[in-house]
Amino acid sequence: MPAATETVQQAAVADFRYTPPPAAATARRILVKPNLGYPVGPPVTVGMPVLKAVLTGLRQVNPSAEILIVEGVCSPVPLSEIADRLGVRSLLDEGMQLLDADQLPQAEYPNRLPSPTRFASLWAPRLLAEVDCRITVGTLKQTNLQSSPLISASLKNLYGLLPRDRYKARSSHSRGQLHRPSVPLVLRDVWGCIGHLFDGAVVDGSWRYISPDWKPDRAKAGQWLGQVIWGEDPIAVDRQACRVAQFEEPEYLQTLAQWRQNLLTCPPS
């Protein structure tokens, strides 16, 4: 587990200059997981100015690293077409690649939490364990699932790394098995299996975006916030993002913050 710090930074979108975690400076390969799951621009997906600033910051501290942009979509539209529509390819230099998470070799990641909610392990790209630095770049959204608000930020963004063919339910385009018993509860397992591996997190808080239902691409607009929140710990970053947007902080973030502290204080033998 990266030795993440609770320090969280915040800046206006126009002033955002990404400060990567220390691991990025010496990494041979860096994995960036941006929220690009839908063929729709901000606030549904990460804005290109924010993603560009992240990639620029990484390249400035490490000119020679291979930077792998990895996403698994939740749409019938393939990642290659989404990338073309959103303008992702224009941000990439010769040392950067765009990879579809669903098409990568998979590995099983054990859950480090003392009491898993549902999953004792989760499958995700094997690449996640092979790179030297991992960054999650999420968007700030609230959907309504089972009549309860669900906050999506850097941690929920990791759903896109979990293979649809393994976790699909009624729809082959989504990961329905990860919605039971509830997304907030399963997010604990997501952090316990793969979230703790991440060295850094960024939340595009350009908008305070609220969807009328469970689909994050339904709302037509949001309230402009114009902020970016980032740091080394996805849990701390998401908690600060909730404060910035004046969203009620989800209980799972509070629980994970305590569990993370316990794991850091008493690491497994």
Side-chain angles (χ1 to χ4, degrees), residues 149-246:
L150 169 65
I151 304 300
S152 296
S154 72
L155 185 56
K156 175 63 169 64
N157 180 44
L158 301 186
Y159 262 44
L161 292 174
L162 307 175
R164 287 185 293 180
D165 62 351
R166 184 175 290 272
Y167 296 112
K168 67 184 179 181
R170 287 177 295 179
S171 171
S172 61
H173 304 305
S174 63
R175 300 166 179 83
Q177 291 187 42
L178 303 179
H179 289 199
R180 292 178 285 204
S182 73
V183 173
L185 290 175
V186 172
L187 278 172
R188 298 179 183 181
D189 290 342
V190 171
W191 185 86
C193 294
I194 62 174
H196 67 85
L197 296 171
F198 277 75
D199 305 90
V202 180
V203 172
D204 182 353
S206 299
W207 299 88
R208 185 180 190 272
Y209 175 82
I210 301 177
S211 175
D213 57 23
W214 59 274
K215 293 188 176 182
D217 56 342
R218 286 293 181 89
K220 300 299 182 183
Q223 175 188 351
W224 176 254
L225 290 178
Q227 298 292 308
V228 182
I229 304 96
W230 76 99
E232 294 178 30
D233 181 10
I235 299 168
V237 169
D238 285 4
R239 297 181 80 181
Q240 177 62 18
C242 288
R243 297 184 194 106
V244 171
Q246 297 184 337

Side-chain angles (χ1 to χ4, degrees), residues 18-21 24-30 32 51-69 91-97 133 135:
Y18 182 51
T19 308
T26 57
R28 292 181 303 104
R29 292 195 294 174
I30 301 171
V32 177
L51 182 56
K52 179 179 180 180
V54 171
L55 297 177
T56 299
L58 290 170
R59 187 54 82 210
Q60 286 176 341
V61 301
N62 194 329
S64 62
E66 182 180 19
I67 299 178
L68 308 169
I69 296 90
L91 308 182
L92 309 184
D93 63 29
E94 292 183 356
M96 300 177 184
Q97 290 186 63
C133 179
I135 312 292

Side-chain angles (χ1 to χ4, degrees), residues 5-83:
T5 172
E6 290 285 333
T7 302
V8 176
Q9 301 184 67
Q10 181 179 332
V13 173
D15 300 325
F16 174 47
R17 304 292 182 270
Y18 182 51
T19 308
T26 57
R28 292 181 303 104
R29 292 195 294 174
I30 301 171
L31 184 148
V32 177
K33 196 313 187 168
N35 189 324
L36 301 171
Y38 294 88
V40 184
V44 175
T45 52
V46 168
M48 292 303 101
V50 172
L51 182 56
K52 179 179 180 180
V54 171
L55 297 177
T56 299
L58 290 170
R59 187 54 82 210
Q60 286 176 341
V61 301
N62 194 329
S64 62
E66 182 180 19
I67 299 178
L68 308 169
I69 296 90
V70 182
E71 172 65 303
V73 304
C74 38
S75 163
V77 180
L79 177 62
S80 58
E81 185 174 336
I82 290 176

Side-chain angles (χ1 to χ4, degrees), residues 111-117 188-189 191-193 256 259-260 263:
N111 195 334
R112 295 194 60 179
L113 294 183
S115 301
T117 296
R188 298 179 183 181
D189 290 342
W191 185 86
C193 294
L256 286 174
W259 279 345
R260 178 182 175 80
L263 285 171

